[in-house]
Amino acid sequence: MDRKLLASERTVVEVMSRIRKSAMQLGVLLREEVAGDSTVGVVFEELTSSISRVFAVLESMETVEGGQRLDAGLLSPPPHHHQISTKKRKIYPATDRRGGCRRRSHLPSKIVGSKTLNDGQTWRKYGQKEIQSSKNPRSYFRCTHKFDQGCMAVRQVQRSEEDPSTYLITYLGEHTCRDPAMAPQLFSTSDVSNTCLLSFGASRHRAEKEARVPASPFPSHKQESDEEGLSNLSTACSSPDYFVIPAAEKLAVMTPTSGFLADLYFEDVFGFDHDGFLS
DNA sequence: CTTATTTGACCCGG
DNA sequence: CCGGGTCAAATAAG
């Protein structure tokens, strides 16, 4: 079930283990502060839960992926502009790794029949194929949080042949993500007039290649009624019942008393500066 | 602007 | 080579 890890991945595991160990030692040293609901406790909670999530991701990498590359990008992709194609589609460089580079081998999969595509998870469609053995195409979805949380869950959806009103949904891999759009609902009993949430909206990024694990991404929600068409299968978000890694969103609610922390956090992470140095 | 979907090209295992 | 899974440019949607 476990494959060989790459050297770089082993390094990550090793370093993360040290981080976890240090965090635990820190927890002992700060046990009285951590025990209470002080800011220290909240921050420490965030720290440990983030570490746990990283390990969850690492674990899924170990068990979910069949083959892999992931070597450092030493080979720069050749420019490869201008090509003569019948269409205006791109000719991919030799470094292209589409398809099987990370093709998952046979994995724990559950097949369910369902009338709806909404299963409480947010999915993003990334492909559709005609299948020889069936007249209905198969749609491929991956978790929306593949890149921001490293969630490797995937599902395949195909309309049933004998009963076209139902879908055959095959789930591959487990969700390691926590839907940020759903988190706020857990606290919605009291008045929440503070709008000072951590917002990563300041978009200054380009590559979605690298997986990051921020504490609380921006909210984005969608309610989609599924219907017709053999290709309109999209995102979903519905039921409140949910598995959740506890206490990872506290950071979002602690702001009323300590909004400054958010600012500090920002500066730390993004290296913001107060003095502009662009003439 | 952003994020999501569509869709042909590409890749890999058998 | 073929079938099926994935990538990513173009496009659509918000």
Side-chain angles (χ1 to χ4, degrees):
Chain A
M1 54 184 72
D2 43 17
R3 61 161 238 261
K4 221 30 181 139
L5 290 176
L6 294 177
S8 58
E9 293 170 323
R10 279 199 304 275
T11 301
V12 172
V13 172
E14 187 182 321
V15 172
M16 281 306 303
S17 296
R18 285 211 288 270
I19 291 174
R20 179 169 60 180
K21 185 181 174 185
S22 297
M24 290 309 152
Q25 292 172 344
L26 196 59
V28 172
L29 294 174
L30 300 174
R31 59 187 179 283
E32 51 264 51
E33 287 88 344
V34 168
D37 52 7
S38 63
T39 300
V40 173
V42 173
V43 173
F44 185 77
E45 193 71 35
E46 167 65 20
L47 173 64
T48 54
S49 89
S50 294
I51 292 172
S52 296
R53 280 168 57 203
V54 171
F55 274 102
V57 171
L58 291 174
E59 212 169 304
S60 73
M61 288 173 63
E62 231 177 314
T63 57
V64 164
E65 295 180 9
Q68 78 294 328
R69 283 298 303 251
L70 234 178
D71 41 20
L74 298 175
L75 32 145
S76 54
H80 221 144
H81 31 270
H82 82 287
Q83 76 308 67
I84 309 91
S85 179
T86 58
K87 281 305 176 186
K88 51 179 178 177
R89 248 181 206 285
K90 170 185 175 184
I91 297 293
Y92 297 97
T95 56
D96 182 54
R97 289 290 177 272
R98 82 190 49 223
C101 100
R102 284 181 172 254
R103 172 165 294 141
R104 51 195 72 218
S105 53
H106 36 70
L107 298 168
S109 64
K110 345 176 216 283
I111 305 174
V112 304
S114 173
K115 296 281 187 190
T116 177
L117 297 168
N118 299 338
D119 55 10
Q121 306 286 348
T122 55
W123 299 100
R124 168 118 157 219
K125 186 173 180 176
Y126 66 88
Q128 177 169 324
K129 277 293 261 193
E130 299 292 332
I131 303 301
Q132 295 304 116
S133 54
S134 175
K135 63 183 169 135
N136 297 324
R138 179 178 299 167
S139 296
Y140 300 87
F141 296 82
R142 49 104 170 153
C143 180
T144 305
H145 304 110
K146 174 176 180 175
F147 296 121
D148 58 44
Q149 295 187 36
C151 181
M152 295 302 288
V154 154
R155 79 172 180 180
Q156 298 176 358
V157 174
Q158 197 168 1
R159 202 177 278 274
S160 172
E161 225 166 314
E162 57 277 4
D163 181 9
S165 67
T166 70
Y167 300 102
L168 271 53
I169 308 179
T170 305
Y171 292 91
L172 291 307
E174 293 292 330
H175 280 277
T176 58
C177 67
R178 160 187 68 85
D179 193 337
M182 203 154 278
Q185 296 179 357
L186 301 176
F187 308 93
S188 59
T189 47
S190 60
D191 57 317
V192 186
S193 52
N194 69 90
T195 53
C196 183
L197 301 179
L198 290 186
S199 172
F200 286 63
S203 49
R204 188 84 67 247
H205 61 294
R206 47 198 37 74
E208 60 174 8
K209 262 303 190 189
E210 222 49 55
R212 296 155 324 185
V213 186
S216 172
F218 47 83
S220 68
H221 217 105
K222 235 178 215 69
Q223 195 63 278
E224 202 85 14
S225 55
D226 64 293
E227 80 298 318
E228 100 307 308
L230 47 164
S231 64
N232 189 9
L233 327 170
S234 55
T235 61
C237 241
S238 57
S239 47
D241 59 336
Y242 222 154
F243 66 94
V244 164
I245 302 174
E249 50 280 334
K250 283 184 182 174
L251 202 70
V253 279
M254 80 181 180
T255 46
T257 50
S258 54
F260 67 93
L261 243 178
D263 295 331
L264 292 177
Y265 188 71
F266 254 158
E267 292 183 7
D268 245 25
V269 173
F270 296 105
F272 278 178
D273 237 9
H274 291 107
D275 45 73
F277 44 86
L278 319 170
S279 57

